[in-house]
Amino acid sequence: MEKRGERSGERHGGSTTPVTAHLAHLRQLRFAKDAMDRDWAGPLDLDAVAAHAGYSRFHFVRAFKTVYGETPGQYLSRRRIERAEELLRSADLSVTEICSLVGFSSLGTFSARFKKQTGLTPSAYRTQHVGRGAALIPGCYALLWAGGFPNRNSGEAG
């Protein structure tokens, strides 16, 4: 129970102030964002990601969007498309292989989101960007580096 004259979130003699509470909130969201950055290629289990922040999935989605300006699903999709752009420019893999490597389970969803983010289809993006730099990395090396195709036994949420 708060003492008389004590503001919410602030304790006399303690270390909790509104500023430190806000920083703790940001740190918790950062833990979840770091988990998505680390495990971006795997299926997104929103409850597990929210658990990194210590929030329920619904509170986590609202808090994440307030702080980062996009939902966790939008953030993860953007990161995956950025990785796909890199692979399309550098690796000799098919669009379907790249779709799977970056964590999409549906080629149609991948292509639609890729076009929405870049303005080009994955094939058009490759045509536009290949031939301007070094030779493409052979697909077998790219797969070896990426650890092969992710295990698709668990469902994707998002």
Side-chain angles (χ1 to χ4, degrees):
M1 183 167 187
E2 291 182 356
K3 293 180 180 176
R4 189 173 173 175
E6 187 176 58
R7 292 187 343 203
S8 178
E10 185 176 66
R11 294 187 180 123
H12 294 287
S15 62
T16 303
T17 66
V19 172
T20 56
H22 182 67
L23 291 176
H25 172 70
L26 294 177
R27 185 175 51 245
Q28 289 174 286
L29 290 174
R30 185 64 196 196
F31 288 147
K33 188 176 179 190
D34 288 347
M36 287 192 292
D37 288 340
R38 184 180 53 248
D39 302 326
W40 56 269
L44 173 66
D45 180 356
L46 191 55
D47 288 325
V49 174
H52 283 282
Y55 296 141
S56 72
R57 74 183 295 157
F58 302 108
H59 181 68
F60 172 67
V61 169
R62 283 191 304 272
F64 192 93
K65 186 170 183 175
T66 299
V67 170
Y68 294 110
E70 58 191 349
T71 65
Q74 291 167 332
Y75 174 77
L76 189 62
S77 178
R78 183 173 54 78
R79 293 294 311 238
R80 287 174 171 170
I81 296 297
E82 290 169 355
R83 182 70 182 126
E85 289 178 76
E86 183 181 327
L87 287 171
L88 286 165
R89 288 190 309 263
S90 63
D92 187 19
L93 294 167
S94 71
V95 171
T96 303
E97 290 170 328
I98 290 173
C99 165
S100 182
L101 279 176
V102 299
F104 284 93
S105 57
S106 162
L107 183 59
T109 301
F110 168 70
S111 296
R113 289 186 184 169
F114 190 94
K115 186 171 183 175
K116 183 178 180 183
Q117 184 169 323
T118 66
L120 298 170
T121 64
S123 298
Y125 184 88
R126 172 174 273 165
T127 301
Q128 191 175 55
H129 290 87
V130 168
R132 293 184 177 180
L136 295 178
I137 299 169
C140 58
Y141 289 110
L143 282 172
L144 182 65
W145 175 79
F149 292 108
N151 185 359
R152 295 285 177 209
N153 290 337
S154 57
E156 183 175 353

